[in-house]
Amino acid sequence: IYTTFIYSEYIPMILVTWFVYLYHLQSIHSSGVTQEVTAQSSILEQEINTLKYQLHHDNLTGLKNRDNLNSMLKDYIHTSDDEKKFAVLFIDLDRFKKVNDSFGHDMGDRILQSITKRFLKVINEHMHLFRLSGDEFIILVDEFAHKQELIAISRALINISKQPFSIKEDTVFLSCSIGISIYPTDSKNDFELMKHADTAMFEAKKQSGKGYCFYSDDMNETNYNNIILETELHYALDNKELELYYQPQVDIVENKIIGAEVLLRWNHKRLGFLRPGEFLDNAVNSSLITLIDEYVFEEGMKQVVKWHRDNINLGRVSFNITIKSLEDERIVHKIEMLLAKTGCKGEWIELEILENDIMFDIEKSVKVLKMFKNLGIKISLDDFGVGYSSLTYLKKLPIDKIKVDRSFVIEITSNKEDKAVVDAIIAISKTLNVNLIIEGVETKKQYTYFKNIGCRYMQGNYCYTPMSHNDCKALLLNQT
């Protein structure tokens, strides 16, 4: 269908070209000017070559297009045997739609042209780059020995996509997600190879930090289960099956609780107690996530008010806010209305915002964060270290706290790279004069390491596990 559409688009042009040629041929024949025949034939040949190029290439980027990709994939499969491997890398730019919505399609087109030039820097003689449509690209890797080579290519593509885009006065930060399928391991069919790479790409979008994912057979079953789970999540919200848990944050110098993070749990009738990572990803790309955010804000604020009425001061209670809610221009007003509705004070709460979400549009982020600050709310930059912030841009943000991403905590006692990253983050927090909290402290070794290098604030199961509001209340009463 796609090929038929492409060719039908150029049929009028081809017919006109031929009619012009026949007209000139007739006139030339009658006049006997044979030299003109050669000239017109050359012109016609050039026009046909131009049409052939347009049929197989993308007009905006000059890359080979979907039709070209389909032909090459079929040729690869036809000429390959089970010993010959090749890979499909499905690349999708993260949050590119927001660029078009915020800055217009003209800027979106310029970024697509710019990212194409960057990707071409990664390409070698065994790789072919295609633009599929919109912000989707495909790379065929026709020769590789080990998966590690594909990982290296993916990392290079991701790193180069994270560099800021400067278009006139605007600076935009993006990234990309990559799904990988391999012939013949994942399939010997061209359609399935593309479908599997697409599936893996969506799985990569769910994973924080890494940005790439290899296809596996269980992904199809997982996707089916996720669809069912998302449907059930709608009913769970209506039936109040979602519960709030609280994980205390501690000052290890004064040995006291200085706050808590609100964490969502789902008491699922069939699957049991589910953590956010087991169900929230299904809602994050739909309007359902904003409803969940509002539910968590309202229920959490009500609980904070109850604690204060009982003279229980937990410190600031922090709420995670998703990119979907941040994109809503009314979000500050919504939070202000919820504060008024519940009787909660801004100085009792804190908002945790992912580093990547806040760095997308610096100027807008600064404006929104200042409005939150005017309500007395403090701002914490969450999952710090996995994004693409620079000190230049961080200095503009009115933030109060940085939370080191847990991925750097897991192997902190043995991984030199993680140690180097954490040291750099500590230096950044001192430069910005903001508090630093280590998230995901699970073991005594981790706790001791961070204590020895002077980290004062921690959160993790080694200190306290997430607990219900009743258990949290009992803990605070026992400490007073």
Side-chain angles (χ1 to χ4, degrees), residues 214-225:
F214 287 89
Y215 173 77
S216 62
D217 289 335
D218 59 358
M219 284 182 181
N220 290 324
E221 183 179 355
T222 300
N223 288 340
Y224 172 78
N225 291 335

Side-chain angles (χ1 to χ4, degrees), residues 12 211 317 340 345 396:
V317 176
K345 296 181 180 180
K396 297 181 179 182

